[in-house]
Structure formats: C-alpha cells, structure tokens
Amino acid sequence: MLKAKHKTGLVFFPAFDWAISPTHPEREERLLYTRDQIVEEGLLDIDGIVELKAGVIDPIDVQRVHFCVPDIGSIMTESHFISAGGAKTVGCAVMEKKIEKGFALVRPPGHHSMRVAHGGRGFCNVNNEAIMIEQLRAAYGIDRVAIVDTDCHHGDGTQDIYWHDPDTLCISIHQDGRTLYPGSGFVDEFGGPTAAGATLNIPLPPYTSEEGFLYVVNNVVLPVLEEFKPDLIVNSAGQDNHFTDPLTNMNFSAQGYADLTRLLNPDIAVLEGGYSIEGALPYVNLGLILAMAGIDYSNVKEPDYDFERLRQSAEVTGAIKKICGEVMDVWNNRHAIRKQMCSNQDTAERRRNVFYDTAGINEFQHETLNICSKCGGVLKIDSSADTGSHILAIHIPKKACDKCKKTGRQWYETADTGRYEMIMMQDRPEDRFLVRTAS
Amino acid sequence: MASMIIGLDVGGTHTDVILAGENGLVNRAKVLTDTSDLFGTILTGLDRITADVRPEDISHAVLSTTLTTNAIVTNNLHRAGMIVCAGPGISVDAFKICDDFHVVDGAIDHSGREIKGLNEGQIRAAASQLQEKGIDCVGVACKFSTRNPAHELKIAEIISPMFERVFIGHRISGNFNFPRRIATTFLNASVYPVHKAFFNAVQSSLVKRGLTMPIYILKADGGTMDFKTSIDFPGQSILSGPAASVMGSVPFADTDAETLVLDIGGTTTDMAVLVNGVPLLAPEGIELNGYKTLIRALKTMSVGLGGDSFVRVDGENIIIGPERRGPAMAYGGDAPTTPTDALFVLGKAAGGDKDAAARGINGIAEKLGVSVTAAAYRVFDQTCRQILENARQMVDMINSRPVYTVREALKGRRINPDRLLMLGGPAPYFADHIQSISDYKVKTVPHWDVANAIGTALSRTTCEVTLFADTSKRVATAPAERFSESIGSGFDLRAATDMALTLLKDKALSQGADVKDLETDLLESLAFNQVRNFHLVGKTIRVRVQVRPGLVHNHEAIVRHLER
Ligand SMILES: [Zn+2]
Ligand SMILES: [Zn+2]
C-alpha cells in the first residue's frame, strides 16, 4: 500500500466553467486532463493525501494586499475568489497542522498581479500567494516567508507587492525577460532600499533544461533559504518551463519539476501558469504532488520525454553559472547595498508605467517610500490610469514603527480629495482597509 | 395478476424475508442465518412466506446476499489472477493486489492515445503461468482503458480461451481510477465462483418449488440487477446489506426534505442521507476490507455502536463499543453488559431477562458510584448522543466534498437534514430519547425490524453510463457499453446527453428494469472547447447519467398499507 511520507493536502479547483475568453490559454479545459490523470492514478486514495474543499476569501483578505481600482467587484470574478480561497484553505490547513504540506491546484493564476490592480495582467487579476501569505500573517502570526516562483514568466506582481518588505524573500526563476513576457526580472531588480536582496531574480536563457534548473536550486535557492530561515516556504508552481509549453522556450520536464520540488521542499505550492494542458500539466502536477508527499515519482514521464534531446548546450550551462554568481553577489552584499541605498535620504521614489495586457489598461505610478531605520517604511502610490481613475494608495507595513504609522495615517487624513478620486489605506498594524472620497 | 414481490435480505445473524402485495405486507419471516448452509436458510425463509401463496401471483423476487461480502471480509477469496498494463505514472508495483499479479508492457495516455504497444508473447507467457497454477478466473485492467479499451480487449481476446472466465476492467465501470479498476476487476474474478454457485443453487431449487418468476439481486447502490446479468458482474452483489436498509427507509421519507437514516443493529449503526427522498451515492465506490473499488454504492457510514455494543467503565467515563462481545445479558449473554440491557433496566424493552440485565448494569453502577437506574440511564443517553455525534460527522464529511465549478462552489450545496428515520431491531426504544436531545424530527419506520427486506423488495433496477465525445475526432464512445459511433462537428452537450440517456435506458432494460421505472439523472455534464495552436478545433464532452436509485413504480399501493 502506498503511503505519503508527508501528509499532503490538495485543493483542486479547475474552474470548469470559467475562461478569460473561449480560446484563451486560461480557459475551462486547462486542468481537465490533469484531473483525468490525477483521478486515474488514484492519487486521492493514497493514505496521507487528502483533498480539501476550496474555501472563499473575504474582501479584507484581498485588501491586505491589493488596492483594487475602483473596487474589488470590478477586478475579481467569483472564480478569483475561489482560486485565492483555495490557496487560503491550503495555507490554513498547514498552519493548523491538519496537513504537513499543501498544494493549491487552482485557476485562474495570480503572480502577475501587483499591489495596485486596475485590471488583469498576464492572465492574473489578484495575487493568490500574497493574499494567502498576508492572511496567514494576520491569523497565525508568522513572520518570515520565502516565495520561490518557478513559473517561466517573471513573477513581477509578487515582486511588486514585496518590493519593500525585508521579511519576505521573493526568488523568481524564469526565462530571460529579453525573450519573454513581462520583460522584467533581471538580476539588478533586487528590492527597495530597506529590503534590498530580499528580492532575487534569476533570469535563465531559453532552452534551459533539468540540469540548469537544478543547478540554480542547489547553488542559489537552497543556500539563500538556509540563511534566510523562513517560517514558511511557498512555491509559485508555474509549469510553463515545460518543453511542450506553447508560450515559452524552455526544456524542463516532469521529472525535473518533481526533483526541484523535492529539493525545495516547500510547505505550500500554488499553481501558476502552464499551458501545455495535455503534454505537460497532467505529468508535472502528478510529479509535483508525489514529490511533496514523499512518494516515488521515478516512473512519471511524459510520452515524448527524451533526456538526451532536451539536454541544454554548454553555452546555456555557462550562462547560468554566471547569472547564479551575480545573484549570490547581490545576496551576500545585501546589507551593504541597503546601507548605501538608504544613506542620506529620507525618501525613495519610483516612477513607472504598468501595462495591463489582459485588460488593455495603461497605468502611471509615482511611489514614495519613507526610508526608516526602524522598519520597512510606510509608502504611498499615486496611481493614474487611462481608464480615468486617479487614486492615492497608502500602505503601512504590518511591522511599521510608531512614527511610520503616524505618517501613513497623516497622509491618509490630509490627502486632497479634490485631486484623487479615492484615497485608500492598508493599515496593516490595525488590520484594516480604509477608503476616503470627496463626497 | 402477478403483483406480489418477495424481498429477502440475508444478514449476518438473521435472514429477513417478506412478501409484499397491494394490500401491504402479506407475510414476513425472520429466520436465523446458518452461515454453513446459506442456501438452506434462504429456502426456509422462502417456504415460510410462500406457503399459502400461488406462485403465479408473485411478480418477482429480489435477493440481497452477504455471500460475496463475507468472502471479502473474511479473506476467503477464490484464487484469481491479474494481468495489468500501466505505462508511466505511479509505479504499478504499489497496486499489486494478489500474488498472481502480472504486469505486461503497453501504455495508453489520458487522451486515449497508445504510447506503447502490447507484447503478445509476454501476455501469453503470463497467462501460461496463471494456468499452470490452476487459476481459472482472471482480471484484466489497463490504465486509461475507459478512454481507449483496445489493450484490455486485446489481452482478453488472447487469454480468454485459456480460462473459465476473464473479467475486463472497463466493462465493469466506465469511470477513471486505475488502482480501483484493478481492485474492482480482481474482486469480480475472486467472488465469481461463490456467486455462481449461489446463482445455480437458487435457480434450481426455485424451479423445484415451481417458482419461475424473475429474480433480481440488490446492489450496493440500492438498485437491483437481473440475477442472470449479475453472473457477469458478481461484484455488484457486494455490500448490498446497508443499501437494503436505506431503501427500506425511502418510502417513508419526505420528498421535500433532507433526512438522515439510522439503522441501529446489534453491532453497528449504519447511517445514510436522503435528499428529497433520494439516497446520496458515494463519490467513488465501495470500500471494503481495504479494497477501494469502482462499484457504485450508496453513501453509508457504519459506526461500531449498536444494541449489543460492549459497555465498560474507564475512570469516570462510560465507554460504549466499538466491539461487540456477544448478545445482551437480557438475552442470555454472559457479562459484559450492553445498551440493550440498559433498555431493560429502564423498562423500555421487554421480553428478555430483566434481572440478568440489571446484574450487568449493576457492574457499571458500582464503578460509577450511582444507582442501577442512573447507570442504565447514562448508558442509554450516551449511546444516543454518540449516535448523534457520528451522524453530525457524516453530514460534515458530505459537506466538505470538493466541487470543481464556480457555479457549484457558489451554490454551496450544503445538506442540513432536519429529520431522522430510524430502523433496525432496537430503533423504537431509542427514537423518543433521540428526539428529546436533538433538533431532529424523529420517526421510526413501520416494520422497522424487517424494513431492510421491504426495501430490498421494492427497489428498482439501476445502472450508470459514461459517454465521451470528441468532435475533433468525430467520435462518441461509451467503452463500458461497447459503444462507439461517429458524430458530426455540430454534436453538442445536448446531443451527447440524449445519446447517453438512450444507452442508459437500453442498458437498464437489458438488466431487467421495468420501462415505468426509468427515472434518470444527469450526474455530470461537461463540454470544453479544445484549442490547439490557438485555434478552436472542436469540443470534448463528458456525460454521466444514471437511473436514480428508488422504488418500483407500484410501491405506493404497497406502502400505503404498511403505514397503518
Ligand atoms: Zn507563466
Ligand atoms: Zn518606520
């Protein structure tokens, strides 16, 4: 009889009745064959693997993370509530020790969703992992969290949300942004002044195969995790690095994903992208679940898998080693970098455009961070979009010092409602979300 | 006019037999089950109820037997062999269900595509080894055979001449789950001889007694199957006992409410849920003695808590069950005591040895330092509360079942039964108290002690059909029904549903259904756009339909009289 070494909980929510559009990659059919494979393998009958029912999140769960413009109802459909709810269910079950490990096999995905959300980006509307993590922080008092994003696309949404948070380590492993959406995720994107080095990007050349991914895990991810000592490891488990994925150019495999999962040993995994719905997802998900549960996965192989044919070139291997070296330099020098970035400055500003490809919206952001030696610092974002929306978003971090709390609340009270359609505040120390308008 | 029905439920202790007609219960009998001569037991029961009845007045008989169930529970299985092919995925060694388990080359993927062909020589070699060991019943199961049965069929074709009987996975169930398919096929092969012997014995002796009416067996899903068809699906007779009781409660359930059914027996209490009078099905299939199968079954939960449960004291606490150490002291058992003894002390039950019961309860009373009556009350009260607590857990379990669509998730199909139907020997003694300590509206089923046999008699024929359609491949298939038909590109969910319902009705009629009993349900209906290289190439459609478990159409006349 098969028995899981680690009791593993699974939320499976394939949203068989939800699509972005009828022929969009993010459509009803996406997890159908994965379900067929999982059911046919009898995975849910294995002693120590349990299926949990996806719960639904509350508005406050979203508001801890996102400023939805103009409101939650305009950004999220029911499916987004259940998808994020699936992640929350798994997270709570792990915290309450009902399961050792959890995997939320849910759609739609979320890792391209940033703190301010005017619409959908890269098939994502809200960030499932961040919503889960902030809910777990609010409910269970956990502190340090590591997110390892193994989707082929740069997890720019997650990066944005945690850009200024020194207690959340965001590592994204992805195909080089010069060759793939969203075009970001380079080594020199390593977080804001108070949190530099807590964001690490590992852009990999096209045609990276098992060898390359496992090199990154062994030589960057594991040593960094060892030092960061997170209370919780979350894997944004995108599966579009697969050699059959229609949107990307990588050569990863089901065996490779399973090995990566075994090495990474995440507490929680949340499905992200992956659009080879017949050739990859059934096998990658099977391998991933078996690896989490600690069950032999050596026989999980795609029909078209050929180790030799998929092997990466020597150039690719060389490039990966070089990138890993650069990333470790950032990590090892993070304290010095923070010191240098913060010196002689009271504030740090970022001005940038954000394009919502799924929704077709352009946004301009002006972000101001209060540099603080006692905490991550309070920040405000002046955000205007070509939808006509113009808002001010204020974020007081959960561990903000008294001074930063005061500053944030002052910003909120004194901002000009004539200028902004809405003034919104995430007051995380009080776990509340406030909105002020002219009327 | 032939209008009477025989219901016969062979239980572990008693065999209950009833004859029901338009005037209600015509005859009823309870005979002790002689496990060494089940056949004699059945005939005795039949004789008792048909003595003064003309054979031509009996329309049909339905049997519920524990023969196959017992064979599995007691590990008395006929030695059967398995030939399986799996391909990539979880290593098939984990599913080695018996010693004579042969894995052969070959693989089909989730889309039904052959990834690796069969090796005929290897199959013949495996079959020869089975033959040399004297094995005569073999099961064949392949991964994804319900998507493409070619490998299972080919293996069966090769080995069939070498064995008395070969059971083929996809024929028994059209549903996914390879390990369960292996177990289901294996159990069918393993209980075949015992079921066949039972079939032959029943047939010949009925003929001897001039009874020639059609015979059905009850299945675990609360439906019946023509006795002859059951020879091809002997596993369908497994675990029909709990289903018999559930079906016995159905006539008395409100059709516009959710009802919990509690069948209180000597050793266990079996629980089930009726939604608008229809029993809920288990999502996958029967689980018995470690075997997880694809055999359709009603959702039932059995807890070790009954009239004969072993009662003892641990510190300040009374412990009841889960084991049974013999009959109640009131019925001649030697110590220890049981909840039934508490009923005697409290004056709720009669017809046994009240003094013996009191002696038993006294042992409990002394340890607790209370009076005998107080101890009896505590045992009785706690039994009721534990039953209720288990019922609550079952409802929670059903409500925590995952759903896969936004629509279902939002609808939040939570059940919340507000009434209880009780049956089984001690049912009426418990009913009042359970009502008083809970919010349920409690009712005891008429003829509660033979309600299982009544349920057996009144059940209708049920079956299930799964249909796959793929408009890009232009084909609709239902492998379990040996069905494959070409379809047009405009074939849609509606057409698929119609096709599945037609197959379902044909199947039900061929398994003995009355044309008036074909009440059907759509269990699953999914249609997906298939997009390849960003182009819509067709639709993939899944439809699963069933004949709903329920009672034969003319049950109302019979039931009206039962309620008096
Ligand atoms: Zn992606
Ligand atoms: Zn501060």
Side-chain angles (χ1 to χ4, degrees):
Chain A
M1 275 299 277
L2 277 177
K3 194 173 173 2
K5 235 179 253 153
H6 317 286
K7 186 170 183 190
T8 301
L10 215 59
V11 163
F12 185 58
F13 186 70
F16 282 151
D17 53 355
W18 185 88
I20 290 181
S21 71
T23 57
H24 195 281
E26 195 51 72
R27 66 178 181 277
E28 298 92 337
E29 188 193 6
R30 190 174 157 223
L31 293 177
L32 176 64
Y33 311 106
T34 295
R35 179 191 72 158
D36 290 350
Q37 190 79 38
I38 287 176
V39 175
E40 180 71 357
E41 296 285 353
L43 205 70
L44 300 171
D45 284 330
I46 294 175
D47 187 10
I49 295 186
V50 291
E51 188 177 14
L52 309 171
K53 184 180 189 172
V56 179
I57 50 164
D58 302 316
I60 181 67
D61 294 328
V62 182
Q63 288 160 341
R64 283 189 199 103
V65 172
H66 292 294
F67 295 99
C68 292
V69 186
D71 50 35
I72 289 178
S74 316
I75 301 297
M76 296 177 74
T77 65
E78 290 92 349
S79 193
H80 295 103
F81 274 95
I82 305 166
S83 188
K88 175 178 166 175
T89 301
V90 156
C92 292
V94 168
M95 296 313 296
E96 284 163 17
K97 301 207 186 314
K98 288 180 189 151
I99 52 176
E100 244 179 281
K101 294 176 174 297
F103 182 24
L105 238 172
V106 295
R107 54 177 290 268
H111 75 146
H112 294 303
S113 298
M114 299 184 168
R115 186 173 293 286
V116 179
H118 287 269
R121 296 186 73 245
F123 317 165
C124 303
N125 290 40
V126 291
N127 197 300
N128 298 327
E129 289 87 331
I131 289 173
M132 170 191 77
I133 290 166
E134 296 315 311
Q135 194 267 330
L136 298 183
R137 280 183 163 146
Y140 302 96
I142 51 162
D143 184 19
R144 294 166 79 74
V145 177
I147 305 168
V148 181
D149 187 322
T150 49
D151 189 278
C152 192
H153 301 90
H154 174 223
D156 57 346
T158 314
Q159 165 170 307
D160 175 72
I161 291 165
Y162 292 111
W163 189 252
H164 298 295
D165 182 355
D167 297 317
T168 307
L169 174 67
C170 284
I171 305 179
S172 179
I173 309 168
H174 47 262
Q175 185 176 329
D176 193 320
R178 287 169 297 190
T179 58
L180 191 70
Y181 178 90
S184 56
F186 299 101
V187 178
D188 61 2
E189 295 164 39
F190 47 66
T194 56
T199 293
L200 294 175
N201 279 300
I202 310 168
L204 300 178
Y207 310 110
T208 298
S209 65
E210 280 174 31
E211 191 189 337
F213 281 96
L214 300 181
Y215 180 88
V216 170
V217 171
N218 282 315
N219 293 280
V220 179
V221 180
L222 295 182
V224 169
L225 285 175
E226 173 75 36
E227 217 181 316
F228 184 77
K229 298 200 186 347
D231 302 330
L232 194 73
I233 299 176
V234 178
N235 178 207
S236 288
Q239 308 181 349
D240 38 11
N241 286 299
H242 195 264
F243 63 91
T244 61
D245 197 275
L247 306 184
T248 65
N249 315 92
M250 299 302 241
N251 275 340
F252 209 26
S253 62
Q255 276 294 307
Y257 265 111
D259 282 338
L260 181 150
T261 307
R262 178 177 50 83
L263 290 168
L264 183 61
N265 194 20
D267 301 290
I268 297 165
V270 180
L271 178 69
E272 283 295 338
Y275 300 96
S276 172
I277 62 174
E278 289 186 285
L281 265 57
Y283 306 99
V284 174
N285 281 308
L286 177 62
L288 205 148
I289 296 164
L290 292 176
M292 283 189 97
I295 298 170
D296 172 41
Y297 53 78
S298 57
N299 194 41
V300 178
K301 286 188 182 111
E302 311 80 337
D304 311 318
Y305 177 72
D306 178 348
F307 180 78
E308 285 306 322
R309 191 173 58 80
L310 295 173
R311 227 186 181 139
Q312 69 196 30
S313 67
E315 291 77 39
V316 167
T317 305
I320 293 172
K321 284 188 176 166
K322 186 165 164 280
I323 293 157
C324 287
E326 290 167 17
V327 175
M328 285 313 286
D329 284 345
V330 171
W331 172 251
N332 290 329
N333 294 320
R334 65 192 182 282
H335 299 297
I337 299 172
R338 281 181 204 177
K339 206 167 164 190
Q340 191 210 335
M341 286 173 80
C342 294
S343 65
N344 305 321
Q345 288 193 77
D346 295 332
T347 59
E349 299 190 26
R350 276 205 296 175
R351 285 182 175 80
R352 60 191 182 130
N353 285 300
V354 177
F355 180 54
Y356 295 75
D357 59 312
T358 305
I361 295 170
N362 268 302
E363 178 201 4
F364 178 73
Q365 284 191 8
H366 176 195
E367 178 196 277
T368 309
L369 171 80
N370 237 20
I371 291 180
C372 176
S373 56
K374 294 202 191 79
C375 73
V378 60
L379 65 103
K380 59 180 172 183
I381 303 165
D382 179 314
S383 160
S384 51
D386 56 10
T387 52
S389 292
H390 186 197
I391 60 129
L392 182 70
I394 298 156
H395 173 77
I396 307 176
K398 189 157 189 288
K399 287 160 74 178
C401 68
D402 286 343
K403 194 165 152 257
C404 288
K405 279 189 230 174
K406 216 173 135 196
T407 306
R409 288 165 196 163
Q410 215 160 29
W411 283 344
Y412 177 75
E413 293 302 333
T414 57
D416 179 4
T417 53
R419 192 165 160 221
Y420 300 106
E421 180 188 329
M422 278 185 291
I423 296 142
M424 304 161 130
M425 177 166 71
Q426 289 168 340
D427 187 347
R428 295 299 315 284
E430 294 292 322
D431 201 26
R432 62 179 176 172
F433 182 83
L434 303 177
V435 180
R436 202 157 72 82
T437 57
S439 49
Chain B
M1 201 188 90
S3 62
M4 288 194 275
I5 311 172
I6 294 171
L8 188 147
D9 182 18
V10 186
T13 327
H14 290 108
T15 292
D16 300 316
V17 205
I18 62 107
L19 181 69
E22 272 163 17
N23 296 320
L25 209 54
V26 181
N27 277 324
R28 47 171 284 171
K30 225 180 214 325
V31 295
L32 281 174
T33 303
D34 178 356
T35 39
S36 63
D37 180 19
L38 274 177
F39 184 60
T41 305
I42 291 169
L43 287 186
T44 310
L46 285 176
D47 281 348
R48 295 258 299 269
I49 59 151
T50 57
D52 48 0
V53 178
R54 291 185 309 163
E56 57 268 33
D57 289 341
I58 302 171
S59 75
H60 66 278
V62 187
L63 315 179
S64 164
T65 145
T66 48
L67 273 174
T68 49
T69 311
N70 284 345
I72 295 168
V73 174
T74 58
N75 291 316
N76 265 318
L77 291 173
H78 179 74
R79 185 171 179 180
M82 285 299 295
I83 297 183
V84 304
C85 77
I90 295 177
S91 302
V92 69
D93 309 337
F95 309 128
K96 189 172 186 291
I97 199 165
C98 58
D99 294 337
D100 306 293
F101 186 84
H102 293 263
V103 181
V104 297
D105 289 348
I108 305 259
D109 79 358
H110 56 79
S111 67
R113 179 169 62 121
E114 182 183 74
I115 313 168
K116 189 171 185 187
L118 296 171
N119 174 343
E120 206 171 316
Q122 192 190 27
I123 295 162
R124 285 188 197 283
S128 298
Q129 281 191 44
L130 294 175
Q131 216 177 15
E132 279 161 26
K133 288 181 185 154
I135 287 167
D136 52 2
C137 293
V138 177
V140 177
C142 302
K143 196 181 278 185
F144 285 116
S145 65
T146 52
R147 296 297 276 129
N148 178 358
H151 283 181
E152 277 185 5
L153 291 172
K154 183 70 190 166
I155 296 171
E157 185 193 314
I158 295 168
I159 70 167
S160 280
M162 303 165 71
F163 301 99
E164 185 191 333
R165 197 83 193 189
V166 173
F167 290 88
I168 309 172
H170 74 273
R171 288 278 166 76
I172 303 170
S173 165
N175 296 333
F176 288 113
N177 200 321
F178 179 52
R180 283 182 185 252
R181 187 173 309 120
I182 292 173
T184 306
T185 314
F186 170 71
L187 288 183
N188 271 278
S190 305
V191 300
Y192 170 74
V194 60
H195 188 66
K196 193 185 163 204
F198 175 68
F199 176 84
N200 288 340
V202 170
Q203 281 297 45
S204 57
S205 65
L206 285 174
V207 169
K208 218 183 328 178
R209 278 166 172 72
L211 295 169
T212 53
M213 71 282 183
I215 312 285
Y216 295 79
I217 60 145
L218 187 72
K219 303 180 295 167
D221 72 351
T224 67
M225 177 185 254
D226 169 59
F227 202 12
K228 261 194 237 82
T229 310
S230 76
I231 290 299
D232 293 332
F233 303 96
Q236 296 287 355
S237 66
I238 297 167
L239 220 60
S240 58
S245 300
V246 179
M247 296 315 289
S249 73
V250 167
F252 309 102
D254 296 311
T255 51
D256 56 355
E258 290 163 356
T259 307
L260 256 168
V261 179
L262 296 184
D263 175 13
I264 305 182
T267 317
T268 62
T269 293
D270 292 338
M271 301 182 292
V273 173
L274 308 177
V275 174
N276 301 334
V278 180
L280 288 186
L281 284 165
E284 303 274 356
I286 288 176
E287 296 185 16
L288 186 62
N289 199 23
Y291 295 106
K292 294 183 176 184
T293 76
L294 288 170
I295 300 167
R296 262 166 66 95
L298 299 183
K299 177 89 198 161
T300 55
M301 191 169 112
S302 187
V303 293
L305 207 59
D308 298 344
S309 289
F310 166 38
V311 177
R312 68 274 189 201
V313 173
D314 178 19
E316 306 258 283
N317 302 315
I318 299 171
I319 314 279
I320 306 167
E323 77 220 87
R324 173 185 190 264
R325 290 207 170 164
M329 292 182 72
Y331 292 121
D334 8 305
T337 191
T338 67
T340 300
D341 294 316
L343 292 172
F344 273 92
V345 170
L346 295 170
K348 289 178 185 292
D353 183 347
K354 194 177 169 181
D355 293 338
R359 275 200 306 281
I361 296 293
N362 188 43
I364 303 288
E366 278 176 359
K367 285 188 184 131
L368 293 173
V370 298
S371 72
V372 173
T373 314
Y377 180 80
R378 274 185 61 182
V379 169
F380 171 61
D381 179 66
Q382 188 176 322
T383 307
C384 293
R385 286 180 195 276
Q386 277 180 234
I387 289 172
L388 283 169
E389 170 57 21
N390 280 289
R392 190 191 59 76
Q393 284 175 14
M394 179 176 185
V395 170
D396 279 355
M397 208 166 72
I398 292 169
N399 283 333
S400 63
R401 207 179 130 189
V403 295
Y404 293 159
T405 59
V406 177
R407 189 177 55 85
E408 286 174 293
L410 293 177
K411 232 175 29 180
R413 293 184 308 184
R414 293 181 67 80
I415 56 156
N416 188 17
D418 62 348
R419 47 206 74 188
L420 263 182
L421 275 175
M422 299 188 49
L423 61 155
Y429 310 130
F430 287 100
D432 286 348
H433 192 61
I434 286 188
Q435 162 114 29
S436 73
I437 59 170
S438 73
D439 297 330
Y440 292 109
K441 201 179 126 201
V442 181
K443 193 162 102 182
T444 306
V445 169
H447 302 283
W448 62 88
D449 55 337
V450 290
N452 47 331
I454 296 172
T456 304
L458 299 185
S459 293
R460 64 162 80 123
T461 301
T462 60
C463 58
E464 184 180 304
V465 164
T466 305
L467 181 94
F468 297 94
D470 185 328
T471 63
S472 66
K473 292 182 189 151
R474 299 278 173 103
V475 67
T477 59
E481 320 314 322
R482 311 183 195 196
F483 175 85
S484 176
E485 202 166 277
S486 59
I487 53 172
S489 59
F491 193 83
D492 59 7
L493 194 54
R494 200 194 172 106
T497 308
D498 288 345
M499 189 180 264
L501 287 173
T502 305
L503 287 170
L504 180 74
K505 285 175 183 168
D506 290 349
K507 181 178 186 175
L509 292 174
S510 79
Q511 295 186 353
D514 188 311
V515 74
K516 292 188 196 119
D517 290 335
L518 298 177
E519 204 178 352
T520 59
D521 288 317
L522 195 54
L523 296 176
E524 189 178 287
S525 90
L526 294 167
F528 300 89
N529 283 340
Q530 286 173 298
V531 180
R532 301 296 174 263
N533 298 319
F534 307 99
H535 288 287
L536 187 63
V537 296
K539 269 192 182 333
T540 179
I541 298 171
R542 313 274 177 89
V543 176
R544 203 154 59 87
V545 289
Q546 70 163 355
V547 175
R548 181 188 301 170
L551 306 177
V552 288
H553 62 276
N554 51 347
H555 77 272
E556 273 145 358
I558 298 169
V559 170
R560 215 174 305 129
H561 291 280
L562 293 179
E563 283 195 280
R564 287 199 186 135

